[in-house]
Amino acid sequence: MRQFHKLSIARLEHETADSVRLSLAVPAELQAKFFFQPGQHLPVQATIGGKLTRRTYSICSVPGQWPMEIGIRVQPGGKFSEFVANELKAGDLLEVMPPFGQFHASIDPGNARIYLGFAAGSGITPILSIVRALLEGEPKSRFLLFYGNRRLRTTMFVDDLYALKNRFPERLQLYFLFSQEDQEFPIFDGRLDQEKTEALCDTFLRGLAPDQAFICGPDTMIESVRAALQQYGLRDEEVHTERYGAPRQKAAPVDVRRVAADAEATQVTVIMDGHEKTFSMTSQHGNIVDAAAAQGIELPYSCKGGVCATCRTWVREGEVRMDANYGLEPWEIDKGYVLACQSHPASRKLVLDYDKT
Ligand code: FES
């Protein structure tokens, strides 16, 4: 069952003036549950101002390292991030759900690959875990990391990255870009847009053929970098992306299945950890997560905005309509995965399998 566990805060350090690194102690009996792939994230929840509030944060440590660490950018007015930065301290308990997420690297010691990484701002958090795990776990692979920020003093994990560069000087190429601070070479000034990505790849790939790329940042940056990478021989499935923040423009609804035009009740069965629960809902009940909660069935969710994919599930039987999708890749849609927080039944019977990965 994907449920929240109370974990103790081992350390809380300010990474920059506007970001923190939170270390969570995971007791031995929970370590198997909290095992993760580099790049995955954690839903966390706390009651703030009397209201249960959830967020999802990426893990910046590597698998097998305890306590596990997450990186949090503290947004001005950000309810959860300000709560963490200003009110929590070592020894406090935080409710945390086990890690998950499709944005991750699979380590194979036999690989001899060229990896590219593009991170904007706090998008470095999962990428840091990925770079470190790949360099440690694949002795013949190389990584070129391009990391964009406004300026050096707001750049997260600078020391960790330089330490990695010192450990793997031959296999890690590390490039910082700043949009509000001039650097010695103009190629490192500005943002990671399509033109800049092409210039960086032309300059630093020098004929190398990349095998995979990992991109983490806001929506517009991801699409720009992805568009640029198409020229360097990377197929869609070799470009892994993770968005943070809300999309700038609301996307048109994504119809993964034909929309049912009636309000008759649907029997929804959810399969989780091998157990089945069934409830009834109509198109008037809103999304599947809310309809289940109204009947006492807690399904996983965090953002409820179609971004974090905490609510990802697989349609084993039946049809749904999704309002929006910013968290699933096209191949996941093709295979029948949906975001339950954005989904409404479009058939009389619906079976959702949360165990299918
Ligand atoms: S809860 Fe975040 S996408 Fe559904």
Side-chain angles (χ1 to χ4, degrees):
M1 180 73 178
R2 286 192 217 162
Q3 62 188 29
F4 284 88
H5 299 266
K6 286 188 177 162
L7 299 184
S8 168
I9 296 172
R11 277 190 311 277
L12 196 157
E13 302 159 300
H14 282 266
E15 179 62 30
T16 63
D18 65 351
S19 64
V20 295
R21 178 196 302 242
L22 189 67
S23 304
L24 294 162
V26 182
E29 65 272 18
L30 285 179
Q31 287 182 358
K33 264 199 172 102
F34 276 82
F35 184 79
F36 63 94
Q37 310 256 33
Q40 289 189 306
H41 47 254
L42 291 174
V44 296
Q45 71 176 20
T47 301
I48 305 171
K51 201 168 162 207
L52 188 66
T53 308
R54 285 188 184 173
R55 294 290 183 273
T56 303
Y57 294 111
S58 292
I59 302 165
C60 56
S61 51
V62 291
Q65 175 191 322
W66 309 107
M68 65 197 312
E69 297 180 342
I70 56 177
I72 300 176
R73 176 75 78 191
V74 183
Q75 306 289 351
K79 192 173 175 184
F80 204 98
S81 59
E82 288 194 336
F83 168 75
V84 171
N86 302 331
E87 297 189 35
L88 293 183
K89 58 184 183 318
D92 287 348
L93 296 176
L94 194 61
E95 290 188 73
V96 186
M97 195 185 278
F100 76 101
Q102 297 305 306
F103 180 72
H104 60 76
S106 302
I107 313 293
D108 180 344
N111 281 343
R113 287 180 168 167
I114 308 289
Y115 295 103
L116 301 180
F118 298 86
S122 59
I124 191 62
T125 312
I127 300 262
L128 177 63
S129 178
I130 288 171
V131 177
R132 202 177 126 192
L134 283 170
L135 290 172
E136 288 176 351
E138 297 190 357
K140 295 191 283 279
S141 292
R142 294 174 55 180
F143 206 111
L144 284 78
L145 175 59
F146 303 97
Y147 179 19
N149 282 277
R150 289 191 188 137
R151 52 182 76 85
L152 179 61
R153 70 181 160 79
T154 58
T155 300
M156 296 171 72
F157 303 124
V158 173
D159 292 345
D160 296 69
L161 290 166
Y162 278 129
L164 263 187
K165 176 69 184 160
N166 284 338
R167 279 178 68 196
F168 304 104
E170 306 291 330
R171 296 195 291 121
L172 174 61
Q173 288 172 246
L174 178 60
Y175 304 104
F176 292 94
L177 288 86
F178 298 120
S179 59
Q180 295 180 7
E181 202 168 87
D182 283 346
Q183 300 204 74
E184 191 174 349
F185 300 103
I187 194 168
F188 300 123
D189 294 337
R191 294 175 188 283
L192 281 167
D193 56 17
Q194 184 169 347
E195 193 183 345
K196 181 64 72 179
T197 303
E198 288 168 3
L200 291 165
C201 287
D202 287 346
T203 305
F204 297 108
L205 273 176
R206 294 199 192 104
L208 292 173
D211 294 289
Q212 291 195 8
F214 298 89
I215 314 171
C216 187
D219 204 46
T220 46
M221 171 265 190
I222 286 179
E223 294 315 319
S224 304
V225 174
R226 193 208 293 269
L229 290 182
Q230 285 174 350
Q231 301 170 41
Y232 299 90
L234 285 168
R235 292 172 294 164
D236 279 354
E237 59 270 31
E238 293 164 339
V239 178
H240 311 278
T241 63
E242 176 95 322
R243 285 168 178 73
Y244 67 70
R248 197 169 281 184
Q249 291 181 333
K250 194 162 174 59
V254 179
D255 287 337
V256 292
R257 301 283 191 273
R258 185 171 43 82
V259 180
D262 63 56
E264 290 190 29
T266 293
Q267 290 295 111
V268 183
T269 299
V270 293
I271 303 170
M272 204 180 287
D273 296 329
H275 299 291
E276 289 188 10
K277 286 185 181 166
T278 299
F279 61 97
S280 172
M281 70 177 286
T282 71
S283 55
Q284 316 301 317
H285 281 116
N287 67 64
I288 289 170
V289 172
D290 288 344
Q295 296 178 64
I297 298 173
E298 168 97 0
L299 299 179
Y301 73 87
S302 182
C303 72
K304 282 198 185 172
V307 178
C308 73
T310 303
C311 60
R312 178 184 187 265
T313 185
W314 182 63
V315 179
R316 177 175 287 278
E317 188 180 334
E319 300 179 352
V320 303
R321 166 182 60 82
M322 274 208 297
D323 289 333
N325 166 41
Y326 309 105
L328 298 179
E329 295 293 326
W331 69 266
E332 294 176 283
I333 302 282
D334 291 345
K335 284 193 184 316
Y337 291 97
V338 296
L339 300 172
C341 80
Q342 300 295 310
S343 292
H344 309 267
S347 57
R348 296 281 181 280
K349 184 172 182 205
L350 185 61
V351 180
L352 300 175
D353 187 344
Y354 284 81
D355 293 341
K356 168 105 172 162
T357 53

